[in-house]
């Protein structure tokens, strides 16, 4: 039997000494490697925070100012993560907090960061402090950047000029195409005049078609259109208490369309219609493909109103008034003279952009926080926002669909073949994957409306539920602006009888009737869900929003 000899004590001690020496070398090296990797991760995260904060700055122009301004904004790490500019630190056992300070100095952006990270035991693992003082002051607009002063200093270009008919009158903008464009609240406007108290603008869009009044009374004050502009349209304008000012609107009758009103009937409003005198002073740049209503009527007449007509230099026409008729409405507003202009030169391609109306919209902004008039894409088709209510965003197609009959028997939308087509075939085949944006139980007001009645902005009788509807009479953007749009169906029957025709909009921006078997164009209307968010785009006609679900 062989003798099995083990390690001696000395040999074991020698091995232990060698292992100990190796550990003395390896452990610090491994520790340094781990620390180095952690340090690298922290520094990479600082770079990510800086990039995210820089992107955030693009949507803080109101507070940072522009290339000739200075301003400062701070944003917390939690806000950058919540708004998806950055992600959380990529170590599950590490929690980081902090903030970034953005300083704009005449177009040069400096980003400073405070960052503190701790492990799950509450032990601090990283700390960096670049912000050591509490001074961070947002940009304050200068007087010379107010809308009135900006307009005067920039001028109105070679196709426009300033005109002041009398020493006490407003200064008017005249010409064929002056540089007087303003982007405000999702719509394009044109400056028509100014004085020491306000700048007056008119929408480039026909916003709706409604009756002037519900009776033969020609007075503008408290008329149907006056109440619609004040109670329905004004609340849709962005921060109107901040931007707009109550001003005197002279709605007195005049002898001839271009004569100055006599001042006997003056109302105070933020939004109204231009009178015929103001319209006559503008020049050809107000000419459009359509005609629209002015606020006053012919002096000495109980049945003659004033219409701005097409194809002339501020052309006006006297028309026999019929309170049963619908008229195209083109709102005008009075804006504060010191409203800050962020950017722009007043041209159609580069309009004045006002404070709070920047077209840099932060990604993931909910669509229901935006305003009436802004443009968006649904499956690459262009729509506009009508309004936002109860968290849902109501939108309408900009262009029409091909002509189609309403039904062969019924004038009620909920049971019509057009309802069936839009809510099934068209919905399933035309929206692609963007169907998931649409609220499937939208509520549609298909009241019977006799166009001899006063326009009623509410729905007092009937509701229909569905995915796709049609414009309601009096909806924002329910008017026909002429050109290629043509007639299109509304959702409201003319009378509650299956044999009677439905209401439809005609090319003169008015309302008429058509047989339910007639072929008329369609402009679908939908409600978008409350969690629809903006993924890209500016909300303008040239850069509509792209959408996604949050």
């Amino acid at each position: 039997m062989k003798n099995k000899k083990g390690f001696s004590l000395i040999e074991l001690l020698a091995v232990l000494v060698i292992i100990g020496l190796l550990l003395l070398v390896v452990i610090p090296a491994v520790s340094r490697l781990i620390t180095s990797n952690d340090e690298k991760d922290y520094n990479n995260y600082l770079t990510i925070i800086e990039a995210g904060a820089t992107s955030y700055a693009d949507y803080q122009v109101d507070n940072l100012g522009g290339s000739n301004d200075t301003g400062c904004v701070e944003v917390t790490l939690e806000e950058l993560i919540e708004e998806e500019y950055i992600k959380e630190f990529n170590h599950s056992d590490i929690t980081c907090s902090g903030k970034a300070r953005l300083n704009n100095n005449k177009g040069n952006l400096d980003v400073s960061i405070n960052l503190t990270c701790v492990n799950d035991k509450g032990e601090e693992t990283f700390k960096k402090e670049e912000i050591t003082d509490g001074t961070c002051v947002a940009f304050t607009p200068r007087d010379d950047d107010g809308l009135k002063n900006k307009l005067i200093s920039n001028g109105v270009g070679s196709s426009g000029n300033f005109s002041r008919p009398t020493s006490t009158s407003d200064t008017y903008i005249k010409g064929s195409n002056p540089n007087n464009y303003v982007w405000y609240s999702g719509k394009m406007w044109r400056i028509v005049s100014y004085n020491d108290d306000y700048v007056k603008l008119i929408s480039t869009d026909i916003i709706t078609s409604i009756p002037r009044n519900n009776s033969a009374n020609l007075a503008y004050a408290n008329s149907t259109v006056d109440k619609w502009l004040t109670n329905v349209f004004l609340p849709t304008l962005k921060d109107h208490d901040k931007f707009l000012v109550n001003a005197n609107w002279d709605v007195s009758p005049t002898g001839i369309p271009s004569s100055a009103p006599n001042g006997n009937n003056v109302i105070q409003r933020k939004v109204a219609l231009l009178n015929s005198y103001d319209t006559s002073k503008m020049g050809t740049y107000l000419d459009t493909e359509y005609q629209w209503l002015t606020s006053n009527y012919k002096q000495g007449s109980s049945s003659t109103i004033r219409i701005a007509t097409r194809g002339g230099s501020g052309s006006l026409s006297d028309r026999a008034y019929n309170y049963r008729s619908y008229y195209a409405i083109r709102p005008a507003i009075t804006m504060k003279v010191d409203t800050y202009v962020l950017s722009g030169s007043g041209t159609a391609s580069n309009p004045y952009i006002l404070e709070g109306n920047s077209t840099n919209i932060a990604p993931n902004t909910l669509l229901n926080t935006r305003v009436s008039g802004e443009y968006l894409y649904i499956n690459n088709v262009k729509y506009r926002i009508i309004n936002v209510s109860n968290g849902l965003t109501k939108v309408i197609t900009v262009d029409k669909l091909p002509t189609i009959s309403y039904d062969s028997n019924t004038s009620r939308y909920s049971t019509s073949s057009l309802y069936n087509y839009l809510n099934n075939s068209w919905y399933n085949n035309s929206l692609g994957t963007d169907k998931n944006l649409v609220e499937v139980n939208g509520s549609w007001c298909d009241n019977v409306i006799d166009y001899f009645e006063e326009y009623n902005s509410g729905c007092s009788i009937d509701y229909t539920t569905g995915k796709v509807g049609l414009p309601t009479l009096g909806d924002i953007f329910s008017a026909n602006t002429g050109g290629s749009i043509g007639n299109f169906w509304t959702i409201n029957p003319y009378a509650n009888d299956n044999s009677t025709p439905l209401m439809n909009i005609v090319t003169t921006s008015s309302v008429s009737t058509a047989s339910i078997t007639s072929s008329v164009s369609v402009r679908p209307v939908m409600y978008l869900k409350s969690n629809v968010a903006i993924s890209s785009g500016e909300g303008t006609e040239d850069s509509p929003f792209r959408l996604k679900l949050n």
Side-chain angles (χ1 to χ4, degrees):
M1 185 173 188
K2 289 188 178 181
N3 181 27
K4 293 184 179 179
K5 184 179 179 180
F7 290 105
S8 67
L9 180 60
I10 294 175
E11 288 172 327
L12 289 172
L13 291 172
V15 170
L16 291 173
V17 169
I18 292 170
I19 292 173
L21 291 172
L22 288 173
L23 289 175
L24 287 173
V25 174
V26 171
I27 289 175
V30 171
S31 179
R32 285 194 299 271
L33 180 61
I34 293 173
T35 302
S36 175
N37 285 337
D38 285 347
E39 193 78 21
K40 185 177 180 180
D41 286 345
Y42 289 126
N43 287 328
N44 285 340
Y45 197 48
L46 286 169
T47 302
I48 291 170
I49 294 171
E50 182 176 3
T54 301
S55 296
Y56 177 82
D58 291 338
Y59 306 99
Q60 292 293 313
V61 179
D62 290 356
N63 294 317
L64 290 172
S67 58
N68 296 315
D69 309 308
T70 60
C72 176
V73 172
E74 289 186 350
V75 58
T76 65
L77 191 65
E78 290 76 10
E79 289 171 328
L80 290 175
I81 293 171
E82 183 179 346
E83 297 182 27
E84 299 186 19
Y85 288 99
I86 64 172
K87 296 184 181 298
E88 294 183 1
F89 188 58
N90 60 1
H91 287 223
S92 60
D93 60 336
I94 302 293
T95 302
C96 297
S97 61
K99 65 180 180 180
R101 176 179 290 179
L102 312 171
N103 266 303
N104 170 45
N105 183 14
K106 296 185 177 180
N108 297 313
L109 185 68
D110 177 67
V111 181
S112 303
I113 299 171
N114 281 5
L115 181 66
T116 301
C117 300
V118 298
N119 60 24
D120 51 11
K121 297 178 182 179
E123 299 167 337
E124 188 176 284
T125 58
F126 181 83
K127 187 168 186 175
K128 184 179 183 68
E129 288 191 342
E130 295 180 339
I131 305 170
T132 57
D133 63 83
T135 305
C136 184
V137 180
F139 165 67
T140 302
R142 301 181 301 271
D143 290 342
D144 58 352
D145 284 328
L147 181 58
K148 173 186 170 182
N149 289 337
K150 183 68 73 173
L151 173 72
I152 294 172
S153 62
N154 282 0
V156 288
S158 58
S159 298
N161 60 279
F162 296 105
S163 173
R164 195 176 186 191
T166 69
S167 60
T168 59
S169 71
D170 292 354
T171 298
Y172 290 92
I173 313 301
K174 295 178 67 68
S176 59
N177 190 28
N179 298 341
N180 60 346
Y181 288 88
V182 175
W183 179 256
Y184 164 62
S185 194
K187 304 168 192 66
M188 193 74 84
W189 304 78
R190 301 196 77 166
I191 301 171
V192 296
S193 64
Y194 66 83
N195 57 31
D196 291 339
D197 300 318
Y198 58 80
V199 177
K200 186 176 287 185
L201 305 91
I202 188 170
S203 168
T204 60
D205 294 304
I206 292 292
I207 297 298
T208 194
S209 291
I210 56 176
R212 181 184 177 95
N213 210 353
N214 65 335
S215 70
N217 184 1
L218 290 176
Y220 177 83
N222 298 313
S223 62
T224 298
V225 65
D226 182 28
K227 288 185 282 190
W228 186 91
L229 288 172
T230 301
N231 300 326
V232 177
F233 181 68
L234 180 63
T236 70
L237 296 180
K238 181 179 176 63
D239 297 332
H240 60 84
D241 286 334
K242 174 182 178 180
F243 291 102
L244 306 185
V245 60
N246 269 318
N248 290 330
W249 298 77
D250 196 336
V251 295
S252 308
T254 59
I256 58 175
S258 59
S259 60
N262 57 28
N264 290 334
N265 192 351
V266 176
I267 60 174
Q268 279 217 331
R269 298 286 190 274
K270 292 178 180 177
V271 57
L273 299 179
L274 291 185
N275 62 35
S276 58
Y277 177 74
D278 284 343
T279 304
S280 71
K281 298 302 176 187
M282 299 304 101
T284 57
Y285 73 86
L286 283 190
D287 289 348
T288 58
E289 297 180 42
Y290 40 79
Q291 54 193 13
W292 37 279
L293 187 66
T294 68
S295 63
N296 53 352
Y297 59 94
K298 184 177 180 180
Q299 189 171 9
S301 171
S302 61
S303 61
T304 305
I305 58 172
R306 299 271 152 80
I307 299 288
T309 57
R310 297 167 283 181
S313 178
S315 296
L316 292 149
S317 175
D318 285 343
R319 298 287 177 86
Y321 172 55
N322 184 346
Y323 73 88
R324 299 170 173 178
S325 297
Y326 283 62
Y327 299 93
I329 305 303
R330 192 176 179 186
I333 54 177
T334 42
M335 185 166 285
K336 296 177 181 178
V337 294
D338 58 354
T339 300
Y340 176 65
V341 177
L342 283 174
S343 60
S345 59
T347 63
S349 59
N350 188 27
Y352 291 123
I353 305 293
L354 306 180
E355 174 189 7
N357 289 264
S358 172
T359 53
N360 290 328
I361 312 300
N364 304 305
T365 296
L366 288 174
L367 185 66
N368 60 17
T369 64
R370 302 307 303 168
V371 293
S372 171
E374 290 183 303
Y375 291 82
L376 54 97
Y377 280 126
I378 299 177
N379 198 30
N380 293 317
V381 174
K382 199 176 291 185
Y383 289 72
R384 293 188 84 172
I385 297 174
I386 294 175
N387 58 29
V388 176
S389 178
N390 298 321
L392 302 179
T393 307
K394 190 177 183 181
V395 300
I396 185 172
T397 52
V398 171
D399 296 318
K400 64 182 181 180
L401 303 185
T403 59
I404 187 173
S405 65
Y406 203 93
D407 197 83
S408 58
N409 296 306
T410 181
S411 61
R412 301 313 299 267
Y413 181 65
S414 55
T415 57
S416 68
S417 59
L418 181 55
Y419 174 92
N420 183 60
Y421 165 71
L422 290 176
N423 282 269
N424 292 287
S425 175
W426 183 82
Y427 172 80
N428 290 317
N429 298 320
S430 300
L431 301 183
T433 58
D434 282 346
K435 284 189 297 186
N436 66 349
L437 304 175
V438 178
E439 173 60 46
V440 297
N441 290 311
S443 184
W444 308 98
C445 177
D446 60 351
N447 273 9
V448 174
I449 295 181
D450 179 340
Y451 71 82
F452 300 110
E453 296 176 277
E454 178 181 13
Y455 160 73
N456 180 359
S457 61
C459 189
S460 58
I461 304 173
D462 298 298
Y463 283 99
T464 293
T465 57
K467 300 180 284 287
V468 186
L470 297 170
T472 298
L473 287 173
D475 267 353
I476 294 174
F477 300 121
S478 65
N480 191 322
T481 56
S484 62
I485 290 183
N487 303 351
F488 55 87
W489 294 112
T490 73
I491 203 168
N492 306 109
Y494 171 67
N496 194 17
D497 184 293
N498 288 343
S499 64
T500 56
L502 283 168
M503 311 285 278
N504 75 289
I505 309 298
V506 299
T507 55
T508 55
S509 297
S510 185
V511 173
S512 185
T513 58
S515 166
I516 57 176
T517 59
S518 299
S519 290
V520 179
S521 297
V522 179
R523 294 179 67 191
V525 177
M526 296 179 289
Y527 289 98
L528 302 188
K529 295 176 180 176
S530 60
N531 60 335
V532 172
I534 296 165
S535 59
S536 63
E538 299 179 339
T540 63
E541 185 174 10
D542 295 331
S543 179
F545 294 137
R546 298 283 182 178
L547 305 177
K548 65 176 185 177
L549 279 181
N550 260 359

